[in-house]
Amino acid sequence: MISFELGVEDLADTRFALSPLYETVLSLRVLREPGLSALHLPWRRSVLGALDGLDTELLMSVVAVRRTLPDFLTPRPAGFAPSFEEELATVRRTPPDLVRRDLLAAHAPDPLPAPLRAALAPGDGPVLALRDALCALLRQYWEAAVRPVWPRMRLLLEADMTYRARQLAMGGARLLFADMHPNLRWQGGVLHIGQMLSRHRVVASGRGLLLVPSVFAHKPAPPVSPEEAPTLAYPSRGVATLWEREPVADTAALASLLGAPKARLLGLLDEPLPTVELARRLGVTPSAVSQHLGVLYATGLVSRARHGRQVLYRRSPLGDRLSGSGKPV
């Protein structure tokens, strides 16, 4: 069991954060063990083909046999919603002694896997090279596997935080943690995290508690090292709905909603097109097209950008979803 001892000031400093890097690193567990969460099998199937050319042996080696992960790969977010690049920059600044410590702690009592044994070599050079290689690999993996679905994930995570904030406002810390996960128990100013392989107690000492909702966490995930500030990634609500395919839009219903001319116009905007070309394809005047485009633009269904003397229009992500043209996972 791992316990966080929180004083009055720590409770006052309890906050939430979104972390694209946390999700990227935690998703490696699901990628390596498909049986860990059947909910994520659609995502896993969709990304396997996108990982060709990546050093998956090194990537998977950071996940220990016990599923623990090195703390330096999931640094405490400094703000509410840092970008992936901001978080990765923090990892790139990790001192070599911490990289070595966290790799050994995550894999203990087992030896380091072969791709990570450079961390045991004398001097700082090999471990720094390993750190930088992991950063480069994680960035490639983020681009291929997580970034395409991050907007959808972020909406779900923000909804979870809204719910948790309401729980905290209504019933304090006790209600906040009551239905977060069965492994969590709040008692006497201490948050107990059960079913953990490590056993230690962390005194917050004014550092507060950071809560990070996660799509890929299958149970609460605190740092491995007792020296780290109290941080807890926990399973978000609503994950079962995340990878559901969106229903195909009914074109007749869309025409009833927007009117037939606007629905036809929206259907043409898979690619950026100028008003004159749209008018030619629809067999109407440019002024008629301009009127419809003005309405679609004002409602956020199309976007526009100037190209030379022309203004090009294209369906927005919202327009894609309304017209059934989005690409589900």
Side-chain angles (χ1 to χ4, degrees):
M1 177 182 291
I2 294 177
S3 301
F4 292 155
E5 184 177 320
L6 306 172
V8 174
E9 290 298 320
D10 298 307
L11 286 176
D13 288 339
T14 294
R15 63 181 178 90
F16 291 85
L18 294 170
S19 174
L21 181 57
Y22 259 83
E23 292 293 19
T24 301
V25 174
L26 289 172
S27 73
L28 295 175
R29 293 170 170 168
V30 176
L31 196 65
R32 196 185 75 168
E33 297 183 51
L36 188 61
S37 178
L39 296 176
H40 294 309
L41 289 178
W43 167 82
R44 186 178 184 275
R45 286 193 295 267
S46 73
V47 304
L48 284 177
L51 302 182
D52 293 342
L54 269 69
D55 186 351
T56 53
E57 184 182 9
L58 177 56
L59 195 62
M60 293 297 103
S61 70
V62 301
V63 184
V65 173
R66 303 182 304 162
R67 303 189 186 121
T68 46
L69 293 157
D71 288 337
F72 80 94
L73 292 180
T74 52
R76 204 175 202 232
F80 169 69
S83 69
F84 180 83
E85 291 297 338
E86 288 170 337
E87 293 192 285
L88 197 64
T90 300
V91 178
R92 288 194 183 99
R93 294 192 296 269
T94 309
D97 57 328
L98 287 184
V99 174
R100 189 178 291 110
R101 181 202 72 179
D102 290 348
L103 288 173
L104 291 169
H107 286 272
D110 302 305
L112 287 180
L116 300 179
R117 287 178 192 158
L120 301 177
D124 292 342
V127 72
L128 290 176
L130 175 61
R131 179 201 65 188
D132 294 345
L134 286 172
C135 286
L137 189 54
L138 281 171
R139 190 181 189 285
Q140 290 178 279
Y141 175 68
W142 152 259
E143 294 287 345
V146 182
R147 184 179 181 183
V149 292
W150 175 245
R152 186 189 303 190
M153 292 168 59
R154 176 165 178 159
L155 287 175
L156 184 124
L157 297 173
E158 289 180 341
D160 177 271
M161 288 190 294
T162 300
Y163 170 81
R164 301 295 173 195
R166 184 171 183 269
Q167 294 291 90
L168 181 62
M170 292 177 61
R174 191 177 305 280
L175 187 58
L176 171 64
F177 298 116
D179 67 344
M180 191 173 279
H181 194 274
N183 289 0
L184 297 177
R185 180 169 55 89
W186 173 257
Q187 185 178 25
V190 179
L191 179 62
H192 301 283
I193 310 162
Q195 304 297 315
M196 302 300 299
L197 296 173
S198 302
R199 297 182 63 87
H200 58 256
R201 189 181 187 98
V202 178
V203 180
S205 300
R207 294 175 291 177
L209 172 64
L210 180 63
L211 298 169
V212 184
S214 170
V215 164
F216 288 111
H218 64 288
K219 65 177 185 178
V224 175
S225 172
E227 299 175 29
E228 296 295 322
T231 305
L232 186 68
Y234 66 88
S236 174
R237 291 161 49 90
V239 174
T241 67
L242 186 59
W243 310 125
E244 289 181 349
R245 289 182 177 270
E246 297 179 2
V248 177
D250 185 328
T251 54
L254 185 63
S256 297
L257 176 67
L258 300 178
K262 293 184 185 65
R264 287 197 299 270
L265 183 57
L266 195 64
L268 291 175
L269 292 172
D270 287 316
E271 57 180 326
L273 292 172
T275 303
V276 173
E277 176 60 19
L278 289 166
R280 186 189 68 77
R281 295 190 187 188
L282 291 172
V284 298
T285 64
S287 62
V289 170
S290 293
Q291 290 178 7
H292 293 313
L293 286 172
V295 174
L296 294 174
Y297 177 75
T299 53
L301 298 179
V302 302
S303 59
R304 66 189 182 191
R306 181 166 293 279
H307 182 70
R309 296 184 177 181
Q310 292 183 323
V311 176
L312 302 181
Y313 291 85
R314 185 171 189 171
R315 210 167 41 235
S316 70
L318 177 61
D320 283 341
R321 291 195 293 274
L322 185 63
S323 64
S325 301
K327 297 179 176 60
V329 175

